[in-house]
Amino acid sequence: MPFAQLVIGPPGSGKSTYCDGMHQFLSAIGRKCSVVNLDPANDHTSYPCALDVRELVTIEETMEDLELGPNGAVLYALEELEHNWGWLEDGLKGLGVALHLTDSYSLTLPSLYISTLLLSLRAMLQMDLPHLNVLTKIDKLSTYTPLPFNLDFYTEVHDLSYLLPYMEQESGIVANSKFEGLNKAIIELVEDFGLVSFETLAVEDKKSMMTLLHAIDRAGGYAFGGAEGANDTVWQVAMRSGMKVMDVRDVQERWLDRKDEFDEKERKEWEEEARAREAPGLVDDAGDEEGDSEAEEIERHFPDGGVKIVRRG
């Protein structure tokens, strides 16, 4: 049975980067992966597309042929896709989890964060699919204005009334009494549904990708299949064994509180690994070297993951 992710989000939220990174990551851990491009405006992808809507309709040609603006061209392209649904239907039968990506910059402005919550809530109610909201580019969050609350306040959507004073500081217009009731009503709406929460992602960080993939697998009901076989990679064994992943406190420490310290530590580890690979006589053959490097990679990123690696002869 196939499992799929429907990746949505506003422009600049990191959808293409996510698809590229997840395609590489799934390939690296031995899971088959195909990417379908449903964006008729996406004229450049760094990953192979098993199915591309631009084979059916493109924004550029639509704007030129019908003399439409970009918004009108997008609407026309969606109608064209609807009229040719049979072209796409077979490829989407396994659709399983909706991933709504949002740039973590949205946390830096209270009004933008509230807007993100509303957009996420609307998507969850309309998509009718298992749904995960993801804050992307979390590794860049430390370069923005410091947040007034810890990261878990935003990912777990705690008492939003604490944001009201910061919204007033953000803009004098919001401080107007006629907006006070509206702001409270919006906050209460989000809290009453109690649906929205966020995962985090630093797409170039292996542990962050694995943590998100665990969440996706739980939401979509992915089953790893039979018992581990002789051809399984170390990463497949690790994923099945439920090795320790990052929670929001780990993310806070890694990317906000101690980012420079962790970056320096990783840099030194990479240098040591590079020297070890270049040193002669450390391995018997290329096959053993590849297996050992996989095991070392697991142990380095997840020292207390509880994964026992058994070599087969």
Side-chain angles (χ1 to χ4, degrees):
M1 175 180 177
F3 291 82
Q5 305 172 27
L6 177 61
V7 182
I8 60 177
S13 59
K15 297 184 294 296
S16 295
T17 303
Y18 171 81
C19 290
D20 185 24
M22 184 57 74
H23 180 268
Q24 293 184 41
F25 186 74
L26 290 174
S27 300
I29 65 174
R31 282 169 61 168
K32 294 180 180 179
C33 175
S34 298
V35 182
V36 175
N37 177 38
L38 296 179
D39 184 358
N42 187 8
D43 60 351
H44 175 73
T45 58
S46 53
Y47 45 84
C49 290
L51 192 63
D52 193 344
V53 71
R54 289 178 60 84
E55 297 174 4
L56 179 67
V57 60
T58 68
I59 294 297
E60 297 84 359
E61 293 178 355
T62 301
M63 292 175 62
E64 181 178 353
D65 295 343
L66 301 180
E67 297 183 351
L68 294 173
N71 293 334
V74 168
L75 291 176
Y76 177 87
L78 292 176
E79 292 175 355
E80 188 72 12
L81 180 59
E82 182 181 7
H83 294 155
N84 294 272
W85 185 251
W87 175 82
L88 190 63
E89 186 174 11
D90 291 340
L92 298 181
K93 285 183 178 178
L95 195 62
V97 180
L99 291 185
H100 188 179
L101 307 188
T102 303
D103 192 329
S104 60
Y105 178 78
S106 63
L107 305 186
T108 62
L109 295 173
S111 60
L112 188 55
Y113 174 63
I114 296 299
S115 299
T116 296
L117 292 175
L118 285 175
L119 183 61
S120 300
L121 178 59
R122 180 187 178 189
M124 295 181 77
L125 295 175
Q126 291 191 330
M127 294 303 298
D128 195 28
L129 287 169
H131 194 106
L132 290 175
N133 301 300
V134 183
L135 293 170
T136 60
K137 308 177 187 178
I138 204 70
D139 50 324
K140 300 186 182 300
L141 193 55
S142 63
T143 64
Y144 305 142
T145 303
L147 302 177
F149 305 104
N150 283 340
L151 191 58
D152 62 346
F153 174 87
Y154 301 93
T155 60
E156 298 172 12
V157 191
H158 288 167
D159 189 348
L160 297 176
S161 63
Y162 287 105
L163 282 177
L164 290 174
Y166 294 94
M167 292 180 69
E168 295 176 359
Q169 295 174 16
E170 178 187 337
S171 172
I173 298 177
V174 178
N176 192 304
S177 59
K178 68 179 181 180
F179 287 103
E180 184 178 352
L182 176 61
N183 294 335
K184 289 183 178 178
I186 292 175
I187 284 174
E188 290 173 0
L189 174 67
V190 174
E191 291 180 336
D192 287 346
F193 274 98
L195 294 176
V196 183
S197 62
F198 294 93
E199 302 293 332
T200 62
L201 176 64
V203 73
E204 295 182 353
D205 183 73
K206 194 173 297 183
K207 194 168 183 179
S208 180
M209 289 290 283
M210 177 169 281
T211 299
L212 179 59
L213 186 56
H214 267 288
I216 294 170
D217 289 341
R218 290 196 303 269
Y222 176 83
F224 287 102
E228 91 186 52
N231 294 325
D232 285 351
T233 67
V234 175
W235 282 104
Q236 285 174 306
V237 176
M239 292 290 288
R240 269 199 304 273
S241 301
M243 67 190 325
K244 182 179 178 182
V245 292
M246 301 176 75
D247 63 21
V248 67
R249 292 167 297 183
D250 298 321
V251 177
Q252 170 88 30
E253 182 179 35
R254 171 62 183 90
W255 299 113
L256 292 175
D257 298 341
R258 300 170 56 196
K259 182 179 186 299
D260 292 341
E261 180 181 340
F262 275 93
D263 287 347
E264 179 65 17
K265 180 181 178 182
E266 286 188 356
R267 185 187 64 80
K268 291 180 178 179
E269 289 174 345
W270 292 337
E271 290 177 352
E272 291 175 1
E273 289 177 3
R275 286 195 295 268
R277 284 193 297 268
E278 294 171 358
L282 294 182
V283 293
D284 295 332
D285 54 61
D288 288 342
E289 181 178 7
E290 181 178 355
D292 289 342
S293 64
E294 268 195 300
E296 291 169 359
E297 183 77 357
I298 288 289
E299 292 167 357
R300 181 170 73 84
H301 284 281
F302 307 95
D304 54 352
V307 177
K308 183 178 180 180
I309 301 172
V310 179
R311 297 292 182 194
R312 288 180 170 83

